[in-house]
Amino acid sequence: MAPSLTGPAVHVEVPYYSQFKPGNGFTPGRTACLKAASAMVSAAGASMLPGANNRIQTRRFDEQGNIVPDSTGAERGRQYIDQQLALNRPVVVGVNHKPGSLNADNITDHFVVVTGRGVDAQGRTYYSFHDPGTENTSRGSDTNPNNRLYLDLATQSLSRPGNLAVGAVTDRTYDMSMVRLNAP
C-alpha cells in the first residue's frame, strides 16, 4: 500500500444528521444541507463560521464558463482540512454535482462534512464524509465506502465518482467546490 501524502489516517467522531429529519436544531428540508452539516460540526465540538465569505474556493469558472479545479485553492483547502482533522475537528465542504447553483459561488450545489482521511487498498488518499442528503443513516454516514472524496494529485482537488447530475444526490459525482472555515 502506498503511503498517504497527507499524513497518517485520522477519523473524527461526528454524529450523523439528515437534512430531512427534525430534531437537531434546524428546520429540515430539501435545501437544509448546510444547516444539517453545520449542526453535525457543532455537535462534534467545532463551529463553522457563518457567512458565505468564510470559505476557501476550490473550483472556479474558466474563460469558457466551465467549472474547473482551482489548484491553488484546492491545495489550500485540503491543507486546511488536514489541519482541522489533526485538531479533531470536522469540516463542512461544498460540492458541485450538477449545472447551476443557488449558492454564493454559483458552483456549489450541496454540503457534506469531512470526518476523516485515509488511504484505500489501491493506495489512493481519500477523505471520508457524512452526507446529510439522505434519511438513511447507513447510506449517509462516513462508514459508507461511497462517501469518500479522492485526491487528484495533478489538480490537488477532491472528487467522488458517480452519476452526472441524475439520480439520488448521494449517488452523484461530487467535486469539492469550497471549504467552509471553522471558528478559531
Side-chain angles (χ1 to χ4, degrees), residues 5-27:
L5 299 172
T6 54
V10 63
H11 182 260
V12 179
E13 289 297 323
V14 179
Y16 174 77
Y17 300 156
S18 167
Q19 71 188 64
F20 301 107
K21 288 188 177 180
N24 298 306
F26 61 90
T27 303

Side-chain angles (χ1 to χ4, degrees), residues 22-159:
N24 298 306
F26 61 90
T27 303
R30 190 179 63 81
T31 60
C33 55
L34 180 60
K35 292 175 185 173
S38 179
M40 285 188 260
V41 166
S42 292
S47 178
M48 183 188 78
L49 288 170
N53 291 330
N54 289 312
R55 70 177 190 253
I56 299 168
Q57 197 67 41
T58 62
R59 289 209 171 278
R60 62 178 176 77
F61 290 101
D62 68 10
E63 298 80 27
Q64 291 77 39
N66 300 310
I67 299 171
V68 297
D70 177 332
S71 294
T72 302
E75 183 173 18
R76 194 170 142 237
R78 189 182 47 75
Q79 289 173 349
Y80 180 80
I81 293 168
D82 287 340
Q83 172 209 27
Q84 292 297 296
L85 291 175
L87 295 171
N88 204 39
R89 298 167 70 177
V91 179
V92 174
V93 301
V95 295
N96 174 259
H97 65 76
K98 65 178 178 59
S101 169
L102 299 176
N103 287 294
D105 63 358
N106 293 316
I107 297 172
T108 300
D109 304 309
H110 187 53
F111 292 92
V112 300
V113 178
V114 173
T115 60
R117 178 190 62 242
V119 176
D120 70 8
Q122 291 79 38
R124 302 176 298 172
T125 299
Y126 67 84
Y127 291 79
S128 56
F129 61 88
H130 282 335
D131 187 341
T134 179
E135 290 186 64
N136 182 325
T137 300
S138 63
R139 192 169 186 187
S141 173
D142 61 7
T143 57
N144 178 352
N146 189 50
N147 292 349
R148 293 178 175 177
L149 296 168
Y150 286 91
L151 174 62
D152 179 323
L153 292 173
T155 64
Q156 294 297 302
S157 62
L158 300 177
S159 297

